[in-house]
Amino acid sequence: MAEETVSKNFIEQEIEKDLREGVYDHVCTRFPPEPNGYLHIGHAKSILLNYGIAQEYGGTFHMRFDDTNPTKEKTEFVESILEDIRWLGADWKDHLYFASDYFDIMYECAVKLIKKGKAYVCDLTPDEIREYRGTLTEPGKNSPYRERSVEENLELFEGMKAGKYEDGSRVLRAKIDMASPNINMRDPILYRVAHMSHHNTGDKWCIYPMYDFAHPIEDAVEGITHSLCTLEFEDHRPLYDWVVRECEFENPPRQIEFAKLYLTNVVTGKRYIKKLVEEKIVDGWDDPRLVSIAALRRRGFTPESIKMFVDMCGISKSQSSADYAMLEYCIREDLKLKRPRMMAVLDPVKLVIDNYPEDQVEELDAPNNQENEELGSRKVPFCRELYIEREDFMEEPPKKYFRLFPGNEVRLMNAYFVTCTGCEKDEDGNVTVVHCTYDPETKCGTGFTGRKVKGTIHWVPAPYAVKATARLYENLIDEEKGVYNKEDGSLNLNPNSMTVKEIYVEPALAGAQAYESFQFVRQGYFCVDSHDSRPDALVFNRIVSLKSSFKLPKK
């Protein structure tokens, strides 16, 4: 039997080339988020890629926070990010690091660059620095402070560290090339003055390194071999390489870029999500209408479904967007054989079986998942009064309507055949009660092979049903208008992104716990909300409906 050929993505090909040629004798990767917000679905791709590469080549995976900007960082974000990464299944073992752990080393590197004549203290204002930088078609101009002596730069930089200067008054810049075609190489800023308390180092520092300076040093200090990052850092790679080379690190890491994971019609920008949270349009960074990892977890997505989604999107250099329907396809595929299929009525109307004994209650057997016998079965109480879906009854049905209407017979799921005899209405003409009779010879599981019916409807026993709340979600964004308003850049929000319903569920769901998920037959997959659900007041979030608009690509 021929062995199956495994296709390697371009990153795996590069890593195997490096190992084959002896550039590195092992693999060490990292995931380096800035703790200034919650992670979203796009970060999942980077986490799973970096962790997966380390696992594939028997290497090491580092978890590291790039916490170089105390103006936006919070311990809350650190904790949420760690929780997200654990949930996705990435294990950093003893390799948890913070960029701020290396602030002393970064300072020493900056001093080394000054002594080598590769860095200088600049007094230009931020606006002047932008003006001097030039454009994509015009070279920049040298700062008037570029030729300060090594001694003066050392003294000024020491003064910056000692807190002698106000925020924004002085910066340390690399001395590279103001005429470089790559604007990132036009004497980029390495350090700025910021009298801010840091979540990890407190008030020890009043100068902080810039990301492009700190990041390559962190990688080099930790012995990262392959720094895997998204395509917007491709133009920063020459600066990355310059920093590790001029700071004289041995065995420097290698940066490789890949395309981001984009989802259509979703909000991932931290600035926009922060605004939605502050204006209480959503109830936090983990609102189930968002695509932060915390939000997806709360809604009921699984790590397996997200990994499946990332695998289907693939790793490439080409920017593209994935349809949200693909993510929904993945959660359906993951849950369909794993989770029990229960009965819940989302828009209830009472069904009375007039010829069923008033005092009788039966315990009927119901399979938990018809496609997976290993999930076993459960008992469901059956009695004279039930709740059914309002849409499962019509007085004057259209053609090909096979549910309840006067004179029609249907199957009650896992129970009996019933024939509709009529209904009761309130003074406004709304149906309040549907009446029917049942045939005791048609009990499911008895081997009945008589007449057939075209319709099967689900139900819950009225006296034993558990009252609960269901939240039905649509896209937070108005898909017809797109994410952003072209005139003012605001978000085009969908006013119907969440519908709240009071529902009835079968009694077997009474003890459902946070994050437990179920298929509600004919309605979709639902998850117990981790914030608002209580034992005496269950709240279910709809993860996804049962119908899919996603089509698998043909092979």
Side-chain angles (χ1 to χ4, degrees):
M1 184 176 175
E3 288 188 16
E4 184 181 350
T5 303
V6 179
S7 177
K8 300 285 186 179
N9 64 51
F10 78 96
I11 291 177
E12 293 169 318
Q13 292 171 10
E14 290 296 317
I15 289 174
E16 292 185 3
K17 180 172 179 286
D18 286 344
L19 293 172
R20 192 167 56 248
E21 295 177 356
V23 179
Y24 304 104
D25 59 7
H26 68 291
V27 171
C28 185
T29 61
R30 83 290 171 270
F31 176 65
E34 298 171 71
N36 58 7
Y38 281 55
L39 301 183
H40 57 67
I41 184 70
H43 294 109
K45 177 177 181 178
S46 183
I47 295 164
L48 294 170
L49 172 62
N50 278 282
Y51 181 67
I53 288 289
Q55 293 290 101
E56 182 179 354
Y57 294 101
T60 310
F61 171 75
H62 289 194
M63 174 62 219
R64 182 216 306 144
F65 287 96
D66 260 322
D67 55 345
T68 58
N69 186 0
T71 61
K72 297 181 179 179
E73 295 160 358
K74 294 181 182 178
T75 303
E76 171 197 351
F77 298 139
V78 171
E79 292 170 353
S80 75
I81 289 169
L82 291 176
E83 186 178 0
D84 289 344
I85 294 169
R86 283 192 197 97
W87 179 75
L88 282 171
D91 182 4
W92 56 85
K93 296 184 171 66
D94 299 322
H95 297 286
L96 174 61
Y97 305 103
F98 290 83
S100 51
D101 294 337
Y102 312 131
F103 279 173
D104 288 302
I105 296 173
M106 292 173 194
Y107 182 80
E108 291 169 8
C109 287
V111 169
K112 175 181 281 190
L113 292 177
I114 293 171
K115 288 179 177 178
K116 291 174 67 173
K118 298 288 186 176
Y120 63 97
V121 174
C122 182
D123 298 356
L124 292 176
T125 66
D127 287 341
E128 288 171 333
I129 289 175
R130 276 191 290 273
E131 182 186 337
Y132 274 58
R133 187 177 289 132
T135 66
L136 291 172
T137 56
E138 297 176 356
K141 296 186 299 181
N142 285 349
S143 165
Y145 307 100
R146 198 174 195 265
E147 300 308 321
R148 277 175 163 156
S149 67
V150 168
E151 292 72 23
E152 184 181 5
N153 282 317
L154 288 172
E155 182 180 345
L156 290 170
F157 191 50
E158 178 62 32
M160 288 169 61
K161 180 191 175 195
K164 292 182 179 179
Y165 310 118
E166 295 180 0
D167 291 5
S169 60
R170 285 196 159 117
V171 294
L172 182 72
R173 298 176 67 178
K175 187 187 286 189
I176 307 179
D177 180 7
M178 289 302 294
S180 172
N182 185 337
I183 289 181
N184 294 298
M185 299 298 280
R186 295 181 187 176
D187 290 10
I189 298 171
L190 306 181
Y191 265 91
R192 78 282 201 196
V193 177
H195 291 80
M196 290 286 296
S197 185
H198 189 281
H199 74 94
N200 196 26
T201 59
D203 297 322
K204 178 180 177 181
W205 296 90
C206 60
I207 55 170
Y208 290 97
M210 302 299 289
Y211 180 90
D212 278 347
F213 178 62
H215 188 74
I217 293 174
E218 298 155 30
D219 284 348
V221 169
E222 291 179 15
I224 301 301
T225 57
H226 298 86
S227 177
L228 310 180
C229 57
T230 46
L231 280 177
E232 72 264 33
F233 293 102
E234 189 168 30
D235 288 342
H236 297 247
R237 194 199 316 153
L239 178 55
Y240 182 101
D241 294 340
W242 183 92
V243 170
V244 292
R245 182 174 65 251
E246 294 297 339
C247 291
E248 300 173 18
F249 285 103
E250 295 182 10
N251 304 314
R254 178 186 177 190
Q255 179 175 304
I256 304 175
E257 307 85 14
F258 60 92
K260 272 186 174 182
L261 192 161
Y262 289 102
L263 263 183
T264 54
N265 291 317
V266 299
V267 182
T268 55
K270 291 174 185 173
R271 178 168 61 91
Y272 285 102
I273 295 176
K274 186 170 182 284
K275 193 168 187 288
L276 292 172
V277 171
E278 290 173 348
E279 294 180 1
K280 301 191 183 304
I281 294 168
V282 297
D283 73 353
W285 289 79
D286 62 351
D287 185 293
R289 289 167 289 182
L290 299 172
V291 291
S292 66
I293 294 174
L296 292 169
R297 179 168 70 248
R298 180 179 171 190
R299 183 155 172 175
F301 282 81
T302 60
E304 295 83 0
S305 67
I306 292 175
K307 186 176 187 303
M308 186 192 306
F309 174 65
V310 168
D311 287 345
M312 287 178 70
C313 291
I315 305 297
S316 74
K317 283 266 190 184
S318 302
Q319 296 282 27
S320 61
S321 293
D323 196 319
Y324 190 84
M326 186 195 292
L327 180 60
E328 293 182 321
Y329 166 84
C330 292
I331 187 63
R332 287 190 193 95
E333 284 296 298
D334 186 51
L335 294 182
K336 69 180 182 181
L337 297 180
K338 288 182 180 178
R339 307 309 302 148
R341 299 175 183 180
M342 316 292 274
M343 294 189 290
V345 175
L346 273 56
D347 186 10
V349 66
K350 187 165 282 189
L351 178 74
V352 177
I353 308 172
D354 292 314
N355 65 333
Y356 193 89
E358 286 192 35
D359 299 330
Q360 183 171 314
V361 179
E362 292 183 76
E363 293 283 325
L364 301 181
D365 283 316
N368 285 331
N369 189 319
Q370 290 91 333
E371 294 183 67
N372 184 359
E373 292 182 0
E374 292 182 6
L375 291 184
S377 63
R378 67 192 184 282
K379 297 288 187 182
V380 184
F382 183 83
C383 54
R384 188 171 187 266
E385 294 190 357
L386 313 173
Y387 288 119
I388 62 170
E389 293 290 349
R390 188 168 293 277
E391 66 177 17
D392 286 344
F393 169 78
M394 293 184 75
E395 271 194 289
E396 299 178 5
K399 288 183 179 179
K400 297 187 178 180
Y401 181 85
F402 301 121
R403 285 167 272 175
L404 282 173
F405 56 87
N408 193 46
E409 187 174 50
V410 302
R411 177 189 291 105
L412 293 178
M413 186 175 288
N414 304 312
Y416 296 93
F417 286 13
V418 294
T419 301
C420 180
T421 57
C423 66
E424 298 176 31
K425 299 180 184 180
D426 62 18
E427 57 188 18
D428 296 322
N430 299 310
V431 175
T432 55
V433 180
V434 178
H435 288 274
C436 67
T437 58
Y438 89 117
D439 181 349
E441 301 298 320
T442 59
K443 184 176 180 179
C444 286
T446 61
F448 173 75
T449 57
R451 62 193 178 278
K452 294 182 179 181
V453 292
K454 290 186 176 180
T456 298
I457 65 173
H458 66 281
W459 52 274
V460 294
Y464 307 99
V466 176
K467 197 170 185 178
T469 300
R471 294 170 178 163
L472 310 182
Y473 297 109
E474 294 181 12
N475 201 321
L476 185 62
I477 294 300
D478 186 326
E479 295 185 35
E480 291 185 4
K481 295 180 180 177
V483 179
Y484 304 111
N485 188 312
K486 293 178 181 178
E487 293 181 5
D488 60 8
S490 62
L491 294 171
N492 290 317
L493 296 174
N494 173 12
N496 302 312
S497 61
M498 180 173 71
T499 302
V500 179
K501 287 181 169 287
E502 297 304 312
I503 70 170
Y504 288 104
V505 301
E506 62 174 276
L509 287 164
Q513 302 293 309
Y515 297 114
E516 273 195 281
S517 57
F518 310 88
Q519 185 192 120
F520 289 174
V521 292
R522 297 172 58 210
Q523 299 291 356
Y525 291 95
F526 287 74
C527 177
V528 181
D529 187 73
S530 57
H531 280 205
D532 303 324
S533 190
R534 303 189 310 273
D536 60 339
L538 293 172
V539 178
F540 293 93
N541 299 324
R542 185 160 69 184
I543 310 167
V544 65
S545 64
L546 295 179
K547 294 180 181 178
S548 175
S549 61
F550 175 73
K551 297 282 192 296
L552 275 173
K554 293 181 180 179
K555 293 184 179 179

